[in-house]
Amino acid sequence: MGSLTEENYIKSIYSLSQATGEVFVSELARKLEVKLPTVNSMIKKLASKKMVAYAPYQGIKLTEKGKREALGIIRKHRLAELFLVKVMGLGWEEVHDIAEQLEHVNSPRFYARIDELLNYPGFDPHGEPIPDSNGKIQLQKRTSLNDLAEGETAIITAVAEDEKSFLDHLNAKSLQIGNRITIVKKELFDCSITLQLKSKKEVMLTHQVAERILVDKLNGK
Amino acid sequence: MGSLTEENYIKSIYSLSQATGEVFVSELARKLEVKLPTVNSMIKKLASKKMVAYAPYQGIKLTEKGKREALGIIRKHRLAELFLVKVMGLGWEEVHDIAEQLEHVNSPRFYARIDELLNYPGFDPHGEPIPDSNGKIQLQKRTSLNDLAEGETAIITAVAEDEKSFLDHLNAKSLQIGNRITIVKKELFDCSITLQLKSKKEVMLTHQVAERILVDKLNGK
DNA sequence: ATATAATGTTAGACTAATCTAATATATTAA
DNA sequence: TTAATATATTAGATTAGTCTAACATTATAT
């Protein structure tokens, strides 16, 4: 395990590289709010520790070792956020900064217990995947109902929330995992969404609910 | 707020000074596992920040400002320990190291919520007082039944535990806050304690239970 | 295709926290 | 009361992480 600073570099490299695969010194400097030469020398250090692959003027790439480290930190961050919301009852808007600190806590026991209390969640409530303790992670962010356009059809595959009141709400609307649904209307005004079920019945959902329903898009038809 | 290192110095100075009032450079160096000159220069820095009062070759004393800082950290440490045990279900033996990390988390919201979830505890389960959010602290560690000698009499004033099973256990033994009790016997072998109640009834308690019963000694008679 | 702009690197300095070696002060014991 | 011991301080070096200023490379745009 590296220093707190090293952890932050690794984490930022990981998240920046999610889109492009490679990360440039200037992007990292912007993200971490330090100057270019600072990043430059830290990258050399991380390269010497085999956390990143790097050649001057080329981009930065995490090695397997670096990826493992990054996933460990992201796991801790996302577990912490979920824990702060679900167990401690804090609001989603206020947990990020706390999780930024908790992600550096070094205690496998602490995180194993959080994982257990949350019943080994695979996704956080935004649909972002939580790496498991071996660093396994779902390849991409799950699409939620909100990500679908009008007319698109998809299968409900998971819900990113397991509070009883939420699940009851879904039941009341006849929504279950495995159901095929089609988007009928997305309301701009309040972001509510209307779906059609296989039974042709239509149901309306608020943005908050739709966000927590994860789906697989059906491409052909 | 100072750096993590500064916080650790302040906390150690506080705990060392609890006994004696003054702390010497060498004690601090031993406790923090660094060399004398390291402590010497850090003390000068803390003195320049008005956290400690210090003159060469004299002891180190926390200023009011330093004390406030120390109490804030101790508050966070003890709340964290209690939280890890009561809410997260970890064992007492394993929470100290985690609390050493959590005590440096900077988030009034996080700690206010822990305080609330624990119902604003005044003592941790070892009878150590938890400073309140204004830094107010009970002046000394509460005495537990275990601190009494054979023949001594005291009044039960609090219990440092409020799990139902524990409270049921006390009820079953007819022990309640306000009761006057006298120590009849302390068993060396298993540290169990036998008390006499006002009703003359005798009850035996294990060390673990006695530790969580807090008392005020009766001096005269 | 070359000048300009954007991006990256090197050199050298600074601060925080630590160290070792040398020196100074205070305490204790003969 | 002075030598021996314990404790504290100063001086100077080291490492991690940061900075500014100067220079180098790559990309872009007429």
Side-chain angles (χ1 to χ4, degrees):
Chain A
M1 250 225 338
S3 67
L4 189 147
T5 309
E6 283 170 21
E7 288 191 358
N8 283 331
Y9 275 78
I10 294 289
K11 188 178 60 143
S12 294
I13 295 167
Y14 183 89
S15 67
L16 288 172
S17 69
Q18 279 307 83
T20 54
E22 270 190 331
V23 176
F24 295 91
V25 174
S26 48
E27 291 179 74
L28 248 191
R30 212 173 308 123
K31 172 136 182 168
L32 293 167
E33 298 183 295
V34 296
K35 303 296 178 188
L36 287 179
T38 306
V39 172
N40 188 269
S41 60
M42 181 56 81
I43 292 304
K44 284 181 189 167
K45 183 178 174 183
L46 291 174
S48 82
K49 292 188 171 186
K50 309 278 188 229
M51 303 299 282
V52 301
Y54 178 68
Y57 297 101
Q58 313 302 122
I60 303 156
K61 259 189 79 131
L62 288 176
T63 59
E64 278 311 308
K65 190 179 167 198
K67 252 178 241 166
R68 229 178 301 127
E69 174 99 1
L71 288 170
I73 301 164
I74 287 164
R75 168 177 162 78
K76 290 195 283 180
H77 182 98
R78 293 184 182 160
L79 281 175
E81 282 200 337
L82 205 53
F83 179 82
L84 291 167
V85 171
K86 292 276 197 81
V87 177
M88 292 188 62
L90 295 171
W92 266 105
E93 65 294 350
E94 57 190 349
V95 298
H96 183 265
D97 291 347
I98 305 174
E100 287 285 306
Q101 298 181 65
L102 294 180
E103 75 191 7
H104 300 292
V105 167
N106 176 19
S107 169
R109 187 75 182 99
F110 180 62
Y111 278 100
R113 188 69 188 121
I114 286 181
D115 202 17
E116 195 182 343
L117 288 169
L118 294 170
N119 201 26
Y120 311 101
F123 293 86
D124 76 17
H126 291 323
E128 299 287 350
I130 299 175
D132 70 19
S133 55
N134 300 311
K136 284 260 166 59
I137 189 173
Q138 300 302 115
L139 289 177
Q140 47 183 37
K141 178 178 166 146
R142 298 286 274 271
T143 48
S144 83
L145 273 182
N146 280 332
D147 300 324
L148 300 179
E150 285 181 10
E152 283 194 291
T153 295
I155 303 281
I156 296 176
T157 53
V159 291
E161 177 75 65
D162 59 11
E163 266 172 42
K164 192 168 178 312
S165 62
F166 178 74
L167 300 171
D168 288 348
H169 182 73
L170 297 191
N171 271 327
K173 305 238 177 192
S174 315
L175 293 172
Q176 289 186 290
I177 286 172
N179 284 177
R180 197 184 71 197
I181 56 86
T182 302
I183 307 294
V184 174
K185 179 98 188 90
K186 293 180 81 170
E187 196 57 65
L188 285 175
F189 174 63
D190 62 0
C191 296
S192 65
I193 289 185
T194 304
L195 325 168
Q196 188 177 57
L197 308 185
K198 215 164 57 177
S199 65
K200 304 293 177 202
K201 194 174 121 187
E202 292 196 354
V203 303
M204 199 199 84
L205 301 174
T206 62
H207 177 77
Q208 292 81 35
V209 169
E211 184 179 31
R212 288 165 169 69
I213 298 176
L214 306 174
V215 299
D216 279 349
K217 277 190 212 182
L218 291 185
N219 288 334
K221 167 139 188 262
Chain B
M1 250 224 338
S3 67
L4 190 146
T5 309
E6 284 170 22
E7 289 191 356
N8 283 330
Y9 275 78
I10 295 288
K11 188 178 61 143
S12 294
I13 295 167
Y14 183 88
S15 68
L16 287 172
S17 70
Q18 278 306 82
T20 53
E22 270 191 331
V23 177
F24 295 92
V25 175
S26 49
E27 292 177 74
L28 204 46
R30 213 174 306 122
K31 173 135 183 170
L32 293 166
E33 299 182 297
V34 296
K35 303 297 178 187
L36 286 180
T38 306
V39 172
N40 188 267
S41 59
M42 181 56 81
I43 292 305
K44 284 182 190 166
K45 182 180 176 179
L46 291 174
S48 81
K49 292 187 171 188
K50 310 280 190 222
M51 303 299 282
V52 301
Y54 178 68
Y57 296 103
Q58 312 303 121
I60 302 155
K61 260 189 79 132
L62 287 177
T63 59
E64 278 311 307
K65 189 179 167 198
K67 251 177 240 166
R68 230 178 301 126
E69 173 101 1
L71 288 169
I73 302 164
I74 288 164
R75 168 177 163 78
K76 290 194 282 181
H77 183 97
R78 292 184 183 159
L79 281 176
E81 282 199 338
L82 204 54
F83 178 82
L84 291 167
V85 170
K86 291 276 197 78
V87 176
M88 293 189 61
L90 295 170
W92 267 105
E93 65 294 349
E94 57 189 349
V95 298
H96 183 266
D97 290 349
I98 305 174
E100 287 285 308
Q101 298 181 66
L102 293 181
E103 76 192 8
H104 300 292
V105 167
N106 175 20
S107 170
R109 188 74 183 99
F110 180 61
Y111 279 101
R113 187 70 187 122
I114 287 181
D115 202 18
E116 194 181 345
L117 287 169
L118 293 170
N119 201 25
Y120 311 102
F123 293 88
D124 76 17
H126 292 320
E128 300 285 352
I130 299 177
D132 71 19
S133 54
N134 300 310
K136 285 262 164 58
I137 187 171
Q138 300 302 115
L139 286 175
Q140 47 183 36
K141 178 178 165 146
R142 298 286 274 273
T143 48
S144 84
L145 274 181
N146 280 332
D147 301 323
L148 301 178
E150 285 180 10
E152 282 193 291
T153 294
I155 303 281
I156 296 176
T157 54
V159 291
E161 178 77 65
D162 59 13
E163 266 171 43
K164 190 165 181 313
S165 62
F166 179 74
L167 299 172
D168 288 349
H169 181 73
L170 296 190
N171 270 329
K173 303 237 178 193
S174 315
L175 292 172
Q176 290 186 290
I177 287 172
N179 285 177
R180 197 185 70 199
I181 55 87
T182 303
I183 306 294
V184 174
K185 180 99 188 89
K186 293 180 79 169
E187 197 58 66
L188 285 176
F189 174 63
D190 61 0
C191 295
S192 66
I193 288 186
T194 304
L195 324 168
Q196 189 177 57
L197 308 185
K198 215 162 61 177
S199 65
K200 302 296 176 200
K201 196 173 119 185
E202 291 196 354
V203 302
M204 199 200 85
L205 302 174
T206 61
H207 177 78
Q208 291 82 33
V209 169
E211 185 180 31
R212 289 165 169 67
I213 298 177
L214 305 175
V215 299
D216 279 349
K217 277 190 214 183
L218 291 184
N219 288 333
K221 166 143 193 263

